[in-house]
Amino acid sequence: MFLISGGGIKVISLLPVGKMVDRFGTKPFLNIGFLMAAASLFAFSSITSIPVVFGVVMLVGISYAMILPAWNAFVATLIPKGERGAIWGFFLTLQGSGMVVGPIVSGLLWDHVSHPAPFIGSAIVMAGLAVVHFVLSRNPFRTAPAK
């Protein structure tokens, strides 16, 4: 039920959020999305009430719906036109590798550290991505050498 509620809210939110990203830009959606994901994932490390867990799962779904279209649009602005295929291929390879490595690392954290550890680790990763986005959005990719 958790996967259905979180995934369902994400699927319902993707198209409207994508349209808002086109209208308002990527920055607010990435800032809010990464921070909301970090906070909601961190909340999993201590919440025990099932109704509250459902609410937090839905926040994770909404934050992912904010991140996905905005991150892809943001990365697209950083890629030079002549290298888009190769760079997107590399980027998607990294993303797919994360989908393989993430559950393995989370399982090891769960088994060998503590049950809250995978959620805390995921929250740290999301907070790290918020910092990466902040840095990249402050210093945009240069396509021409500085004069």
Side-chain angles (χ1 to χ4, degrees):
M1 291 307 295
F2 293 131
L3 292 174
I4 292 169
S5 64
I9 196 87
K10 179 200 67 148
V11 167
I12 291 168
S13 302
L14 275 170
L15 186 58
V17 170
K19 288 182 178 197
M20 287 190 291
V21 166
D22 289 338
R23 184 172 185 183
F24 300 112
T26 62
K27 197 171 195 173
F29 294 95
L30 289 173
N31 288 338
I32 294 167
F34 283 134
L35 295 176
M36 187 186 333
S40 55
L41 287 167
F42 185 77
F44 281 127
S45 65
S46 61
I47 293 174
T48 57
S49 168
I50 295 299
V52 176
V53 170
F54 269 106
V56 174
V57 164
M58 290 169 52
L59 284 176
V60 171
I62 292 168
S63 67
Y64 189 70
M66 294 176 81
I67 293 167
L68 190 61
W71 184 254
N72 287 341
F74 176 69
V75 170
T77 66
L78 301 175
I79 298 174
K81 287 186 180 182
E83 301 171 14
R84 285 190 177 157
I87 292 176
W88 272 114
F90 176 73
F91 178 74
L92 292 172
T93 299
L94 289 177
Q95 187 176 355
S97 298
M99 294 176 72
V100 172
V101 173
I104 294 169
V105 171
S106 293
L108 291 171
L109 287 170
W110 180 281
D111 289 342
H112 299 293
V113 177
S114 69
H115 294 177
F119 302 106
I120 294 169
S122 295
I124 291 169
V125 168
M126 285 294 154
L129 286 171
V131 170
V132 166
H133 169 256
F134 181 77
V135 170
L136 288 176
S137 65
R138 303 284 269 167
N139 298 314
F141 180 80
R142 291 183 180 265
T143 56
K147 293 183 180 184

